[in-house]
Amino acid sequence: MSVQIPPTERLRTDTIEINMGPHHPSTHGVFRMVLTLDGETVVDLEPRFGYLHRGIEKTAEERTYVQNVPFTDRLDYICGITNNWAYALALEKLAGIEVPERAEYIRVILGELTRVMNHMLAIGFLWNDLGATTFTPVVYAFRERERILDLIEMAAGSRMMPSYIRAGGVVADLPEEFMPRLQKLVPHLKRFIDEMDTMLTKNEIFRARAVGVGVLKAKDAINAGITGPVLRASGVKYDIRKADSYSIYDRFDFEVPVHTAGDVYARYLQRLAEARQSLRIIEQAMRDIPEGPVTSLPYKQLSRLKPPKGEAYGRIESPKGELGFYLVSDGSNKPYRFRIRSTSLLNLTLLREMCLGHKVADVVTILGSIDITLGDVDR
Amino acid sequence: MENIWTIENLWNAIGTVLRNWLAGFLPAWLVTLIMDLLVIVVLLAIGIVAVLVLSFMERKVAARAGDRYGPNRWGPYGLLQPFADAIKMLIKEDIIPHVADRFSFNLAPVIVTVGAVMTYAVLPFGRDMVAANLNIGILYFAAVGSLSIIGLLTAGWGSRNKYALISAFRAVAQLITYEVPVGLCIICVVMLAGSLSTQDIVLAQQERGWFFLLMPGIFILYFLAASAEMIRCPFDLLEADSEIIAGHFIEYSGMKFALFFLAEYIHLFAGSAMMVTLFFGGWLGPWLPSWLWFLIKTFVVIFVFMWIRNTFPRIRIDQVLKIGWKVMVPAGLVGLAITGFVDKLIADKLIAGVVLFICNIGLIIGVSYLMGRAQRRKEMAAEGAALR
C-alpha cells in the first residue's frame, strides 16, 4: 500500500544554476560553463568561452609570414611544435617550397614527441579532474614532460614556445648530443607509459567513474567535425597521417588504434595506445634519419617571402586532432587572411550533449577527457 | 611504597603529584575543578599539536608520493612549516560575504571544531589514560563525532554559495549513509568485547587477539565507512577540489577557515585512534610504554589514509550512496549476524575466533565478487556503445 501525498504538500523543488568557471580549478584555463542542475544531475549546460581571446587571426594579417610563427606557438601552448608544423605546411603549399629530407625527419621526431607529451599530460589532468587531489599522476606526467621539453629546448632553444619549424624546414640542425639523449629517452618513455598503464588502467574507482560516462556517438562526432583521439575513441578510424598523408608519414610502419566505447575510459585507453604508436614512429625515424641540410629557405629569403596570389590549406594530425591553417595571399609579404581551424574548439562543440544527464562530477571528467587547451579554443 | 615514576606511568604520575600539591592548600572541590580543567586544556593542546604534526605530515607524504620534496625551507627538513601556516591563517583578513547569513556563517566553524575536539574525551591514550572512562564510550564517540554534520550543513547554508550548498547536501547524504555501516561494525566489536567502554575493548583484545585478525571483513568495512565519515579520499566529496572547489568552506578565510582545517585533522586523528582502539589492540604492545604504542599505531593508520588519498581518485556522489546502502549496509548486517551467531554458539574462544576469521574472509570474497561482476557487466555493455 503506498501513501499518496497530495500535490500541495509535496516538497517543492527547483533547479539551480551554477557558473562553473572561468575561475575554477578544473576548467583547464579560463573556460566557463553555465550549468543547470537538478540536485546533482546536469539538465543543461552552456559553454561560454572567449576569456582568452587574443585576436591572433586578425593580428596575423598585419605581420609578415615569418613574424607569424611565434603566434602559432601560443595557440595550443602544450604542443608548440605541431602548431608550427601546421602553419609551415600551409605556407609551403602556398609558396611551393620544398623541404629537405633531414628536416622532415626532425619534424616527425619532435612532432611525435609532442604527441607523447600531450597524451601523458592529458591522462594526468584527467586523473586530477577525477579527484586525485594531490596531483600525484600529474606530477609524474610533468616529470616525464620535462625530459621531452629538455630535448625540445636543445633543438629550439625554448621549452614551450619553440618557433622551431618554419616554412622550408627547421630553424637549425639538431645539436650533436640530441640523438644520444633521444636514444636513451625513448625506452624510458616506453617504460613510463607501461607504468602508467599498470598503475591506472585497472583501478576500480577509475573504471567506475569513467566507463559509460560521456558517450559520444560516432555519427554525432563526425557531424560535429570532432577529430583526433576523441573521434577515434568513438570507433572512427580517421587519422590524417594515414587519410591525407603529409610529410613522410607514408614511410613509417604504425597503426591507428581505435576504441569503440566512446566514453571517458575509451579516450584514456586511446591516448595510451597512441602514445605507444608515436614512440614506434620515433624509433623508426631515429634509425633512418639522413644527413644533409635542414632548410631550403634561409632566414633572409624567408623574411622577404612573398607567396604568389592564391590560397592554401595545410592540415596535420596534431595531438588533439586536426589542426589546419588556411592562408590567403594577395601577393604581398603579409597574409590577406590567416584562419586557424583549431582542434580544441571543434572538439568542444558536443560538450553539452555528452554531459546531459550526468552528475556535476562527470562534467569535469568529460571536459578533461576531451583534452582542450584554452589558448587553442579562444585564439 | 612502589615507585610511580616509570615511563609507562609518566603522565599519570605528573597528575598525581600536581593533585597532591594542590590539595595541600585548596579545598577538595576546587582541586577537582582545576584538575578537570587541566585535563581539558591538555586534550585541546594534544589536538592542536596533532594538527600541526599532521598538516606537516600530509604535505610531506603528498610530496613524496608525487616525487617532490615538499616543504623544506623553514627549520630543519621544513619542520617549522606548520607554524608558518598557522601564523598566516591567524593574520589573514576575515571575510564575511555580505549576502551570507551571518549567524550561521559564524556559528558553523565553532560547531564543527567543538564536535571534533569532544571526541578526544574517550580516546584511551594508554593504560589508565583516558580523560573520561565512560561506560558508553563508543556510543559517545559515534554521537559526538556526527555533530559536525550539523556544522557542515550550517556552513553550506550560511555561506549562500551554490558550491557550498551542494557540499552541504552531499554532507548530509553521505554522512548519514555511512553512520549506519560504522554503527554496525562497532556493534560487532562491542559484541565480542562485551562492553561499550573503550578501555574494556582494548583489554578484551588482550584476551582474544586483535580484532582486525578476528574480523578482517568487518575491519575493511569499518575502514571504508570511517574514511567516508572522516571525509577522507576516496570519499572526500564534500570538499571535492576539482568539482565544487572547496565545498562548505569555500567562503571562509582566516581563522574560521583554520577552524575547519583544525576540525578535519582532529577528526582524522580521532578516527584513526578509534580504529586502533577497536581493531588494532589500542595501547597493547610489548617493551614500549603503552601511550607510545598507541601513538605509533595511530600514526601508521593515519599514514595509510594519507597514502590512499595520494593514490586514488574520488568516487561520485551517486556511487557513494549506492555503495553505502546497497553494499555496505547489507554486508554490515551479514557481518553482524555472523559475529552474533559465532560468538554465542561456540563457547571456546579460540575456535570461535578461527570460525569468525573464515566467515569474514568469505564475506570479503563474496562482496568483492558481486561488486566486480556488476562492474564487468557495465563494461561489457559500454563496449561498442559509440557505434550503436
Side-chain angles (χ1 to χ4, degrees), chain A residues 227-269:
Chain A
T227 46
V230 183
L231 177 72
R232 290 191 285 273
S234 287
V236 183
K237 199 168 184 170
Y238 176 74
D239 186 324
I240 298 170
R241 289 176 295 177
K242 292 269 191 198
D244 179 16
S245 187
Y246 56 96
S247 188
I248 46 167
Y249 274 111
D250 46 359
R251 296 183 200 176
F252 299 117
D253 171 33
F254 68 100
E255 279 149 30
V256 180
V258 173
H259 288 84
T260 54
D263 52 12
V264 173
Y265 191 59
R267 275 168 229 148
Y268 157 82
L269 290 177

mmCIF file of all heavy atoms in Angstrom, chain A residues 227-269:
data_model
loop_
_atom_site.group_PDB
_atom_site.id
_atom_site.type_symbol
_atom_site.label_atom_id
_atom_site.label_comp_id
_atom_site.label_asym_id
_atom_site.label_seq_id
_atom_site.Cartn_x
_atom_site.Cartn_y
_atom_site.Cartn_z
ATOM 1 N N THR A 227 37.686 15.622 -34.158
ATOM 2 C CA THR A 227 38.792 14.833 -34.705
ATOM 3 C C THR A 227 39.701 14.365 -33.576
ATOM 4 O O THR A 227 39.473 14.677 -32.409
ATOM 5 C CB THR A 227 39.619 15.665 -35.698
ATOM 6 O OG1 THR A 227 39.871 16.927 -35.112
ATOM 7 C CG2 THR A 227 38.914 15.833 -37.011
ATOM 8 N N GLY A 228 40.721 13.657 -33.969
ATOM 9 C CA GLY A 228 41.742 13.276 -33.014
ATOM 10 C C GLY A 228 41.347 12.095 -32.144
ATOM 11 O O GLY A 228 40.461 11.327 -32.490
ATOM 12 N N PRO A 229 42.019 11.938 -31.009
ATOM 13 C CA PRO A 229 41.758 10.790 -30.150
ATOM 14 C C PRO A 229 40.292 10.687 -29.723
ATOM 15 O O PRO A 229 39.781 9.582 -29.544
ATOM 16 C CB PRO A 229 42.638 11.065 -28.921
ATOM 17 C CG PRO A 229 43.640 12.046 -29.347
ATOM 18 C CD PRO A 229 43.070 12.804 -30.478
ATOM 19 N N VAL A 230 39.628 11.817 -29.587
ATOM 20 C CA VAL A 230 38.223 11.782 -29.172
ATOM 21 C C VAL A 230 37.381 11.077 -30.229
ATOM 22 O O VAL A 230 36.517 10.255 -29.924
ATOM 23 C CB VAL A 230 37.695 13.205 -28.915
ATOM 24 C CG1 VAL A 230 36.279 13.173 -28.426
ATOM 25 C CG2 VAL A 230 38.584 13.924 -27.926
ATOM 26 N N LEU A 231 37.660 11.365 -31.502
ATOM 27 C CA LEU A 231 36.914 10.723 -32.590
ATOM 28 C C LEU A 231 37.265 9.243 -32.668
ATOM 29 O O LEU A 231 36.390 8.388 -32.786
ATOM 30 C CB LEU A 231 37.246 11.423 -33.915
ATOM 31 C CG LEU A 231 36.604 10.813 -35.160
ATOM 32 C CD1 LEU A 231 35.123 11.097 -35.188
ATOM 33 C CD2 LEU A 231 37.252 11.353 -36.411
ATOM 34 N N ARG A 232 38.559 8.940 -32.583
ATOM 35 C CA ARG A 232 38.974 7.543 -32.730
ATOM 36 C C ARG A 232 38.511 6.703 -31.555
ATOM 37 O O ARG A 232 38.251 5.510 -31.703
ATOM 38 C CB ARG A 232 40.497 7.473 -32.878
ATOM 39 C CG ARG A 232 40.976 8.033 -34.209
ATOM 40 C CD ARG A 232 42.422 7.723 -34.440
ATOM 41 N NE ARG A 232 43.290 8.559 -33.619
ATOM 42 C CZ ARG A 232 43.717 9.761 -33.986
ATOM 43 N NH1 ARG A 232 43.354 10.257 -35.149
ATOM 44 N NH2 ARG A 232 44.503 10.468 -33.200
ATOM 45 N N ALA A 233 38.368 7.314 -30.374
ATOM 46 C CA ALA A 233 37.832 6.558 -29.240
ATOM 47 C C ALA A 233 36.372 6.225 -29.450
ATOM 48 O O ALA A 233 35.818 5.355 -28.791
ATOM 49 C CB ALA A 233 38.013 7.346 -27.952
ATOM 50 N N SER A 234 35.717 6.935 -30.394
ATOM 51 C CA SER A 234 34.326 6.632 -30.729
ATOM 52 C C SER A 234 34.229 5.654 -31.881
ATOM 53 O O SER A 234 33.154 5.466 -32.439
ATOM 54 C CB SER A 234 33.571 7.914 -31.075
ATOM 55 O OG SER A 234 33.345 8.659 -29.914
ATOM 56 N N GLY A 235 35.325 5.057 -32.277
ATOM 57 C CA GLY A 235 35.278 3.978 -33.257
ATOM 58 C C GLY A 235 35.472 4.390 -34.694
ATOM 59 O O GLY A 235 35.266 3.573 -35.582
ATOM 60 N N VAL A 236 35.849 5.635 -34.954
ATOM 61 C CA VAL A 236 36.073 6.049 -36.340
ATOM 62 C C VAL A 236 37.566 6.047 -36.608
ATOM 63 O O VAL A 236 38.328 6.724 -35.930
ATOM 64 C CB VAL A 236 35.509 7.462 -36.593
ATOM 65 C CG1 VAL A 236 35.687 7.833 -38.043
ATOM 66 C CG2 VAL A 236 34.063 7.525 -36.189
ATOM 67 N N LYS A 237 37.986 5.266 -37.597
ATOM 68 C CA LYS A 237 39.412 5.149 -37.865
ATOM 69 C C LYS A 237 39.813 6.249 -38.819
ATOM 70 O O LYS A 237 39.876 6.065 -40.029
ATOM 71 C CB LYS A 237 39.713 3.771 -38.453
ATOM 72 C CG LYS A 237 41.163 3.385 -38.329
ATOM 73 C CD LYS A 237 41.351 1.929 -38.660
ATOM 74 C CE LYS A 237 42.802 1.544 -38.434
ATOM 75 N NZ LYS A 237 42.995 0.110 -38.518
ATOM 76 N N TYR A 238 40.046 7.436 -38.269
ATOM 77 C CA TYR A 238 40.389 8.574 -39.116
ATOM 78 C C TYR A 238 41.592 9.277 -38.515
ATOM 79 O O TYR A 238 41.522 9.828 -37.416
ATOM 80 C CB TYR A 238 39.201 9.529 -39.207
ATOM 81 C CG TYR A 238 39.495 10.780 -39.974
ATOM 82 C CD1 TYR A 238 39.595 10.755 -41.360
ATOM 83 C CD2 TYR A 238 39.658 11.991 -39.318
ATOM 84 C CE1 TYR A 238 39.870 11.908 -42.063
ATOM 85 C CE2 TYR A 238 39.931 13.152 -40.028
ATOM 86 C CZ TYR A 238 40.040 13.104 -41.393
ATOM 87 O OH TYR A 238 40.302 14.247 -42.091
ATOM 88 N N ASP A 239 42.684 9.205 -39.227
ATOM 89 C CA ASP A 239 43.912 9.835 -38.769
ATOM 90 C C ASP A 239 44.530 10.484 -39.991
ATOM 91 O O ASP A 239 44.763 9.822 -41.003
ATOM 92 C CB ASP A 239 44.851 8.775 -38.180
ATOM 93 C CG ASP A 239 46.078 9.407 -37.554
ATOM 94 O OD1 ASP A 239 46.563 10.415 -38.097
ATOM 95 O OD2 ASP A 239 46.549 8.891 -36.529
ATOM 96 N N ILE A 240 44.774 11.793 -39.932
ATOM 97 C CA ILE A 240 45.240 12.496 -41.126
ATOM 98 C C ILE A 240 46.599 11.971 -41.557
ATOM 99 O O ILE A 240 46.939 12.004 -42.731
ATOM 100 C CB ILE A 240 45.260 14.009 -40.871
ATOM 101 C CG1 ILE A 240 43.833 14.463 -40.588
ATOM 102 C CG2 ILE A 240 45.795 14.779 -42.052
ATOM 103 C CD1 ILE A 240 43.719 15.855 -40.105
ATOM 104 N N ARG A 241 47.372 11.445 -40.623
ATOM 105 C CA ARG A 241 48.668 10.878 -41.003
ATOM 106 C C ARG A 241 48.484 9.731 -42.001
ATOM 107 O O ARG A 241 49.367 9.450 -42.796
ATOM 108 C CB ARG A 241 49.393 10.367 -39.763
ATOM 109 C CG ARG A 241 49.882 11.492 -38.871
ATOM 110 C CD ARG A 241 50.498 10.937 -37.614
ATOM 111 N NE ARG A 241 49.519 10.252 -36.787
ATOM 112 C CZ ARG A 241 49.831 9.631 -35.652
ATOM 113 N NH1 ARG A 241 51.078 9.579 -35.254
ATOM 114 N NH2 ARG A 241 48.888 9.046 -34.926
ATOM 115 N N LYS A 242 47.333 9.058 -41.937
ATOM 116 C CA LYS A 242 47.053 7.985 -42.896
ATOM 117 C C LYS A 242 46.104 8.458 -43.992
ATOM 118 O O LYS A 242 46.283 8.159 -45.166
ATOM 119 C CB LYS A 242 46.407 6.792 -42.179
ATOM 120 C CG LYS A 242 47.320 6.071 -41.224
ATOM 121 C CD LYS A 242 48.070 4.941 -41.898
ATOM 122 C CE LYS A 242 48.762 4.093 -40.841
ATOM 123 N NZ LYS A 242 49.822 3.262 -41.362
ATOM 124 N N ALA A 243 45.061 9.213 -43.594
ATOM 125 C CA ALA A 243 43.999 9.559 -44.526
ATOM 126 C C ALA A 243 44.468 10.557 -45.574
ATOM 127 O O ALA A 243 44.079 10.470 -46.739
ATOM 128 C CB ALA A 243 42.810 10.130 -43.763
ATOM 129 N N ASP A 244 45.311 11.532 -45.149
ATOM 130 C CA ASP A 244 45.798 12.539 -46.084
ATOM 131 C C ASP A 244 47.264 12.723 -45.761
ATOM 132 O O ASP A 244 47.680 13.716 -45.186
ATOM 133 C CB ASP A 244 44.997 13.841 -45.886
ATOM 134 C CG ASP A 244 45.479 14.931 -46.821
ATOM 135 O OD1 ASP A 244 46.189 14.595 -47.785
ATOM 136 O OD2 ASP A 244 45.156 16.104 -46.577
ATOM 137 N N SER A 245 48.033 11.697 -46.108
ATOM 138 C CA SER A 245 49.389 11.601 -45.591
ATOM 139 C C SER A 245 50.205 12.824 -45.984
ATOM 140 O O SER A 245 50.299 13.179 -47.148
ATOM 141 C CB SER A 245 50.048 10.337 -46.116
ATOM 142 O OG SER A 245 51.292 10.176 -45.494
ATOM 143 N N TYR A 246 50.778 13.469 -45.000
ATOM 144 C CA TYR A 246 51.636 14.627 -45.249
ATOM 145 C C TYR A 246 53.038 14.261 -44.802
ATOM 146 O O TYR A 246 53.265 13.192 -44.233
ATOM 147 C CB TYR A 246 51.106 15.846 -44.497
ATOM 148 C CG TYR A 246 50.963 15.641 -43.007
ATOM 149 C CD1 TYR A 246 51.957 16.047 -42.133
ATOM 150 C CD2 TYR A 246 49.833 15.031 -42.485
ATOM 151 C CE1 TYR A 246 51.824 15.851 -40.787
ATOM 152 C CE2 TYR A 246 49.694 14.829 -41.145
ATOM 153 C CZ TYR A 246 50.696 15.238 -40.293
ATOM 154 O OH TYR A 246 50.568 15.041 -38.943
ATOM 155 N N SER A 247 53.965 15.174 -45.076
ATOM 156 C CA SER A 247 55.353 14.950 -44.693
ATOM 157 C C SER A 247 55.797 13.561 -45.155
ATOM 158 O O SER A 247 55.535 13.181 -46.287
ATOM 159 C CB SER A 247 55.510 15.141 -43.190
ATOM 160 O OG SER A 247 56.859 15.098 -42.840
ATOM 161 N N ILE A 248 56.439 12.777 -44.262
ATOM 162 C CA ILE A 248 56.952 11.478 -44.702
ATOM 163 C C ILE A 248 56.292 10.347 -43.925
ATOM 164 O O ILE A 248 56.900 9.307 -43.699
ATOM 165 C CB ILE A 248 58.485 11.418 -44.517
ATOM 166 C CG1 ILE A 248 58.854 11.945 -43.134
ATOM 167 C CG2 ILE A 248 59.189 12.188 -45.596
ATOM 168 C CD1 ILE A 248 60.268 11.636 -42.738
ATOM 169 N N TYR A 249 55.062 10.552 -43.501
ATOM 170 C CA TYR A 249 54.438 9.531 -42.665
ATOM 171 C C TYR A 249 54.186 8.223 -43.413
ATOM 172 O O TYR A 249 54.008 7.187 -42.796
ATOM 173 C CB TYR A 249 53.129 10.050 -42.062
ATOM 174 C CG TYR A 249 53.368 10.792 -40.780
ATOM 175 C CD1 TYR A 249 53.178 12.167 -40.689
ATOM 176 C CD2 TYR A 249 53.813 10.128 -39.644
ATOM 177 C CE1 TYR A 249 53.422 12.858 -39.521
ATOM 178 C CE2 TYR A 249 54.057 10.806 -38.468
ATOM 179 C CZ TYR A 249 53.863 12.162 -38.420
ATOM 180 O OH TYR A 249 54.104 12.825 -37.262
ATOM 181 N N ASP A 250 54.165 8.296 -44.771
ATOM 182 C CA ASP A 250 53.922 7.054 -45.518
ATOM 183 C C ASP A 250 55.106 6.102 -45.424
ATOM 184 O O ASP A 250 54.992 4.935 -45.780
ATOM 185 C CB ASP A 250 53.593 7.378 -46.975
ATOM 186 C CG ASP A 250 54.554 8.405 -47.554
ATOM 187 O OD1 ASP A 250 55.444 8.856 -46.797
ATOM 188 O OD2 ASP A 250 54.412 8.739 -48.742
ATOM 189 N N ARG A 251 56.249 6.574 -44.917
ATOM 190 C CA ARG A 251 57.417 5.696 -44.838
ATOM 191 C C ARG A 251 57.440 4.885 -43.548
ATOM 192 O O ARG A 251 58.246 3.976 -43.419
ATOM 193 C CB ARG A 251 58.704 6.514 -44.867
ATOM 194 C CG ARG A 251 58.883 7.250 -46.152
ATOM 195 C CD ARG A 251 60.198 7.979 -46.138
ATOM 196 N NE ARG A 251 60.159 9.031 -47.136
ATOM 197 C CZ ARG A 251 61.129 9.895 -47.316
ATOM 198 N NH1 ARG A 251 62.205 9.846 -46.567
ATOM 199 N NH2 ARG A 251 61.016 10.819 -48.245
ATOM 200 N N PHE A 252 56.635 5.252 -42.581
ATOM 201 C CA PHE A 252 56.737 4.589 -41.288
ATOM 202 C C PHE A 252 55.657 3.529 -41.146
ATOM 203 O O PHE A 252 54.568 3.634 -41.707
ATOM 204 C CB PHE A 252 56.591 5.611 -40.150
ATOM 205 C CG PHE A 252 57.658 6.648 -40.171
ATOM 206 C CD1 PHE A 252 57.338 7.985 -40.376
ATOM 207 C CD2 PHE A 252 58.983 6.293 -40.029
ATOM 208 C CE1 PHE A 252 58.325 8.938 -40.411
ATOM 209 C CE2 PHE A 252 59.979 7.242 -40.060
ATOM 210 C CZ PHE A 252 59.655 8.566 -40.259
ATOM 211 N N ASP A 253 56.013 2.551 -40.349
ATOM 212 C CA ASP A 253 55.088 1.460 -40.103
ATOM 213 C C ASP A 253 54.443 1.711 -38.736
ATOM 214 O O ASP A 253 55.091 1.587 -37.694
ATOM 215 C CB ASP A 253 55.885 0.141 -40.101
ATOM 216 C CG ASP A 253 55.024 -1.005 -39.629
ATOM 217 O OD1 ASP A 253 53.824 -0.972 -39.900
ATOM 218 O OD2 ASP A 253 55.566 -1.909 -38.965
ATOM 219 N N PHE A 254 53.192 2.144 -38.755
ATOM 220 C CA PHE A 254 52.483 2.340 -37.480
ATOM 221 C C PHE A 254 51.003 2.098 -37.692
ATOM 222 O O PHE A 254 50.519 2.083 -38.824
ATOM 223 C CB PHE A 254 52.730 3.734 -36.914
ATOM 224 C CG PHE A 254 52.112 4.853 -37.718
ATOM 225 C CD1 PHE A 254 50.913 5.441 -37.313
ATOM 226 C CD2 PHE A 254 52.722 5.316 -38.868
ATOM 227 C CE1 PHE A 254 50.347 6.464 -38.050
ATOM 228 C CE2 PHE A 254 52.153 6.347 -39.612
ATOM 229 C CZ PHE A 254 50.970 6.914 -39.208
ATOM 230 N N GLU A 255 50.310 1.877 -36.579
ATOM 231 C CA GLU A 255 48.877 1.605 -36.666
ATOM 232 C C GLU A 255 48.081 2.760 -36.112
ATOM 233 O O GLU A 255 48.591 3.566 -35.335
ATOM 234 C CB GLU A 255 48.548 0.339 -35.868
ATOM 235 C CG GLU A 255 48.843 -0.927 -36.630
ATOM 236 C CD GLU A 255 49.246 -2.034 -35.695
ATOM 237 O OE1 GLU A 255 48.774 -2.027 -34.542
ATOM 238 O OE2 GLU A 255 50.043 -2.888 -36.108
ATOM 239 N N VAL A 256 46.826 2.817 -36.501
ATOM 240 C CA VAL A 256 45.920 3.799 -35.920
ATOM 241 C C VAL A 256 45.009 3.048 -34.950
ATOM 242 O O VAL A 256 44.117 2.328 -35.379
ATOM 243 C CB VAL A 256 45.075 4.494 -37.003
ATOM 244 C CG1 VAL A 256 44.149 5.506 -36.357
ATOM 245 C CG2 VAL A 256 45.968 5.162 -38.008
ATOM 246 N N PRO A 257 45.255 3.168 -33.658
ATOM 247 C CA PRO A 257 44.416 2.438 -32.707
ATOM 248 C C PRO A 257 42.998 3.003 -32.675
ATOM 249 O O PRO A 257 42.788 4.195 -32.928
ATOM 250 C CB PRO A 257 45.111 2.640 -31.368
ATOM 251 C CG PRO A 257 46.077 3.734 -31.560
ATOM 252 C CD PRO A 257 46.283 3.959 -33.003
ATOM 253 N N VAL A 258 42.038 2.134 -32.419
ATOM 254 C CA VAL A 258 40.629 2.557 -32.356
ATOM 255 C C VAL A 258 39.984 1.905 -31.147
ATOM 256 O O VAL A 258 40.276 0.752 -30.828
ATOM 257 C CB VAL A 258 39.877 2.145 -33.641
ATOM 258 C CG1 VAL A 258 38.407 2.438 -33.501
ATOM 259 C CG2 VAL A 258 40.417 2.878 -34.843
ATOM 260 N N HIS A 259 39.127 2.634 -30.470
ATOM 261 C CA HIS A 259 38.298 2.050 -29.410
ATOM 262 C C HIS A 259 36.845 2.354 -29.737
ATOM 263 O O HIS A 259 36.553 3.359 -30.365
ATOM 264 C CB HIS A 259 38.682 2.599 -28.051
ATOM 265 C CG HIS A 259 40.003 2.082 -27.580
ATOM 266 N ND1 HIS A 259 41.194 2.649 -27.955
ATOM 267 C CD2 HIS A 259 40.316 1.029 -26.799
ATOM 268 C CE1 HIS A 259 42.193 1.969 -27.413
ATOM 269 N NE2 HIS A 259 41.690 0.989 -26.704
ATOM 270 N N THR A 260 35.973 1.496 -29.272
ATOM 271 C CA THR A 260 34.589 1.632 -29.730
ATOM 272 C C THR A 260 33.614 2.080 -28.656
ATOM 273 O O THR A 260 32.430 2.247 -28.930
ATOM 274 C CB THR A 260 34.085 0.294 -30.288
ATOM 275 O OG1 THR A 260 34.288 -0.698 -29.302
ATOM 276 C CG2 THR A 260 34.797 -0.072 -31.566
ATOM 277 N N ALA A 261 34.077 2.272 -27.437
ATOM 278 C CA ALA A 261 33.111 2.609 -26.383
ATOM 279 C C ALA A 261 32.726 4.081 -26.400
ATOM 280 O O ALA A 261 31.614 4.444 -26.023
ATOM 281 C CB ALA A 261 33.660 2.232 -25.014
ATOM 282 N N GLY A 262 33.638 4.950 -26.819
ATOM 283 C CA GLY A 262 33.318 6.364 -26.930
ATOM 284 C C GLY A 262 33.129 7.079 -25.610
ATOM 285 O O GLY A 262 32.609 8.185 -25.582
ATOM 286 N N ASP A 263 33.550 6.449 -24.512
ATOM 287 C CA ASP A 263 33.385 7.113 -23.217
ATOM 288 C C ASP A 263 34.736 7.618 -22.702
ATOM 289 O O ASP A 263 35.744 7.554 -23.410
ATOM 290 C CB ASP A 263 32.737 6.153 -22.205
ATOM 291 C CG ASP A 263 33.476 4.838 -22.127
ATOM 292 O OD1 ASP A 263 34.592 4.768 -22.668
ATOM 293 O OD2 ASP A 263 32.935 3.890 -21.540
ATOM 294 N N VAL A 264 34.731 8.126 -21.484
ATOM 295 C CA VAL A 264 35.954 8.692 -20.922
ATOM 296 C C VAL A 264 37.052 7.631 -20.854
ATOM 297 O O VAL A 264 38.215 7.898 -21.160
ATOM 298 C CB VAL A 264 35.658 9.250 -19.507
ATOM 299 C CG1 VAL A 264 36.928 9.697 -18.826
ATOM 300 C CG2 VAL A 264 34.685 10.404 -19.601
ATOM 301 N N TYR A 265 36.661 6.431 -20.490
ATOM 302 C CA TYR A 265 37.637 5.354 -20.356
ATOM 303 C C TYR A 265 38.259 5.022 -21.715
ATOM 304 O O TYR A 265 39.468 4.813 -21.822
ATOM 305 C CB TYR A 265 36.942 4.128 -19.764
ATOM 306 C CG TYR A 265 37.869 3.035 -19.322
ATOM 307 C CD1 TYR A 265 38.829 3.287 -18.362
ATOM 308 C CD2 TYR A 265 37.777 1.758 -19.846
ATOM 309 C CE1 TYR A 265 39.683 2.291 -17.933
ATOM 310 C CE2 TYR A 265 38.628 0.757 -19.432
ATOM 311 C CZ TYR A 265 39.578 1.031 -18.476
ATOM 312 O OH TYR A 265 40.416 0.044 -18.065
ATOM 313 N N ALA A 266 37.424 4.986 -22.764
ATOM 314 C CA ALA A 266 37.945 4.677 -24.095
ATOM 315 C C ALA A 266 38.913 5.760 -24.551
ATOM 316 O O ALA A 266 39.932 5.471 -25.176
ATOM 317 C CB ALA A 266 36.803 4.563 -25.085
ATOM 318 N N ARG A 267 38.609 7.020 -24.200
ATOM 319 C CA ARG A 267 39.509 8.100 -24.600
ATOM 320 C C ARG A 267 40.843 7.986 -23.881
ATOM 321 O O ARG A 267 41.907 8.259 -24.449
ATOM 322 C CB ARG A 267 38.863 9.455 -24.289
ATOM 323 C CG ARG A 267 37.955 9.905 -25.392
ATOM 324 C CD ARG A 267 37.102 11.074 -24.969
ATOM 325 N NE ARG A 267 35.722 10.786 -25.328
ATOM 326 C CZ ARG A 267 34.674 11.200 -24.653
ATOM 327 N NH1 ARG A 267 34.811 11.923 -23.580
ATOM 328 N NH2 ARG A 267 33.469 10.882 -25.057
ATOM 329 N N TYR A 268 40.772 7.554 -22.645
ATOM 330 C CA TYR A 268 42.016 7.329 -21.892
ATOM 331 C C TYR A 268 42.834 6.217 -22.551
ATOM 332 O O TYR A 268 44.024 6.385 -22.817
ATOM 333 C CB TYR A 268 41.666 6.979 -20.440
ATOM 334 C CG TYR A 268 42.733 6.210 -19.712
ATOM 335 C CD1 TYR A 268 43.817 6.865 -19.147
ATOM 336 C CD2 TYR A 268 42.661 4.832 -19.596
ATOM 337 C CE1 TYR A 268 44.809 6.163 -18.500
ATOM 338 C CE2 TYR A 268 43.648 4.123 -18.951
ATOM 339 C CZ TYR A 268 44.715 4.794 -18.406
ATOM 340 O OH TYR A 268 45.685 4.094 -17.770
ATOM 341 N N LEU A 269 42.193 5.084 -22.860
ATOM 342 C CA LEU A 269 42.905 3.973 -23.486
ATOM 343 C C LEU A 269 43.470 4.384 -24.833
ATOM 344 O O LEU A 269 44.579 4.017 -25.212
ATOM 345 C CB LEU A 269 41.954 2.785 -23.665
ATOM 346 C CG LEU A 269 41.514 2.069 -22.402
ATOM 347 C CD1 LEU A 269 40.522 0.983 -22.748
ATOM 348 C CD2 LEU A 269 42.695 1.469 -21.676
#
